[in-house]
Amino acid sequence: MPRNNKTSLIQKIASQAYVTFQNCPTSAIGDKTERQAELVTLLSDIRAADLRVAPPKKVSISSSQSSAVPPVTYMHICETDVFSMGVFLLKSGASIPLHDHPGMNGMLKVLYGKVNIRCYDKLDKSAGAESDTERRFDPPLLPFQGDDVRRAVLRSSGQFSHQSGPCILTPLKDNLHEIDAVDGPAAFLDILAPPYDPDNGRDCHYYKVLQTAGKKSEQSGEDETWLLEIPQPEDFWCGGEPYPGPEVSV
């Protein structure tokens, strides 16, 4: 059952997110501050019932209807210049493709179901490193794709459920990720700070993994890989649905 506190937990999270990320340098929240620790604690306590969301009931639909249903939907909760917050709901078997968060911090907390999350980071071009365009890929890149290849490293990979703590990304660590629903539908609360804003260089870019580089990164000691920037995949789109939880003001 949802809590009956006078101030809802989601309101407390919104207020704490604002003070945590206000005037936060885009270089990151990598070193945990007292404010960030408080936000993580609040997020760790949030439950699906607190937002009045629940896994969808099984409904039989035809294949033609299924193709018109978005694999992912989003419930908008609030947005300011400092942060945005909402809930992503993934259908069974749905995925959010590999994408980035330029200059942004983020926190993700699963509300129900399970998701696999793989996080990547782009690598700086180091002196003497193999040129992106010199690398031979199978299948070969098209001539116009050479400038869209990026050296990267798989930073982390793991499964998250409602019992897990928040998954955290910063501008410098775990900034690219892909999210797959596992064994059924899933939902997670998502905070991004600052929000996406194409006019200020914070547009969302999509990538696919080409192949591993077969060597360790000199910067991190982790396995290198190669990413190709691509258009938004045709089989992914995000619909919208109303947020049914407690009202939030910031």
Side-chain angles (χ1 to χ4, degrees), residues 212-229:
T212 59
K215 63 179 181 179
K216 300 289 185 180
S217 165
E218 295 179 1
Q219 299 173 37
S220 66
E222 296 165 295
D223 290 329
E224 287 189 14
T225 189
W226 295 84
L227 305 180
L228 175 67
E229 185 176 340

Side-chain angles (χ1 to χ4, degrees), residues 75-112:
M75 294 177 174
H76 172 80
I77 297 178
C78 65
E79 180 170 329
T80 73
D81 291 340
V82 175
F83 76 100
S84 62
M85 182 167 68
V87 176
F88 281 96
L89 302 101
L90 284 68
K91 303 286 191 295
S92 180
S95 297
I96 298 178
L98 183 59
H99 61 284
D100 63 1
H101 310 80
M104 300 158 66
N105 297 289
M107 294 187 178
L108 178 164
K109 178 62 176 72
V110 174
L111 299 171
Y112 65 72

Side-chain angles (χ1 to χ4, degrees), residues 51-226:
L51 306 183
R52 301 173 194 146
V53 300
K57 297 179 180 178
K58 290 185 178 181
V59 178
S60 177
I61 58 175
S62 67
S63 58
S64 59
Q65 288 175 314
S66 177
S67 63
V69 175
V72 178
T73 55
Y74 181 73
M75 294 177 174
H76 172 80
I77 297 178
C78 65
E79 180 170 329
T80 73
D81 291 340
V82 175
F83 76 100
S84 62
M85 182 167 68
V87 176
F88 281 96
L89 302 101
L90 284 68
K91 303 286 191 295
S92 180
S95 297
I96 298 178
L98 183 59
H99 61 284
D100 63 1
H101 310 80
M104 300 158 66
N105 297 289
M107 294 187 178
L108 178 164
K109 178 62 176 72
V110 174
L111 299 171
Y112 65 72
K114 293 181 291 186
V115 296
N116 276 333
I117 304 178
R118 287 175 295 281
C119 300
Y120 295 80
D121 285 320
K122 296 177 186 176
L123 296 175
D124 295 331
K125 293 184 178 181
S126 56
E130 184 180 19
S131 166
D132 298 346
T133 55
E134 290 174 357
R135 177 76 183 182
R136 295 187 180 277
F137 299 97
D138 184 18
L141 295 178
L142 298 174
F144 64 86
Q145 292 179 316
D147 293 337
D148 296 325
V149 178
R150 300 288 184 272
R151 291 170 62 243
V153 62
L154 175 60
R155 191 73 72 185
S156 62
S157 178
Q159 190 171 105
F160 292 77
S161 72
H162 70 281
Q163 296 176 320
S164 307
C167 178
I168 298 174
L169 66 87
T170 79
L172 301 178
K173 187 174 181 181
D174 297 333
N175 189 262
L176 292 80
H177 64 202
E178 55 186 339
I179 304 168
D180 303 323
V182 179
D183 299 331
F188 60 86
L189 180 66
D190 189 64
I191 297 175
L192 291 176
Y196 280 115
D197 184 354
D199 293 336
N200 284 297
R202 297 192 301 275
D203 201 359
C204 183
H205 308 91
Y206 294 91
Y207 300 85
K208 75 172 183 178
V209 177
L210 293 177
Q211 63 190 64
T212 59
K215 63 179 181 179
K216 300 289 185 180
S217 165
E218 295 179 1
Q219 299 173 37
S220 66
E222 296 165 295
D223 290 329
E224 287 189 14
T225 189
W226 295 84

Side-chain angles (χ1 to χ4, degrees), residues 34-51:
E34 184 177 338
R35 288 176 175 175
Q36 183 193 350
E38 176 62 22
L39 180 55
V40 168
T41 297
L42 291 171
L43 279 171
S44 298
D45 287 341
I46 196 73
R47 299 174 300 189
D50 294 313
L51 306 183

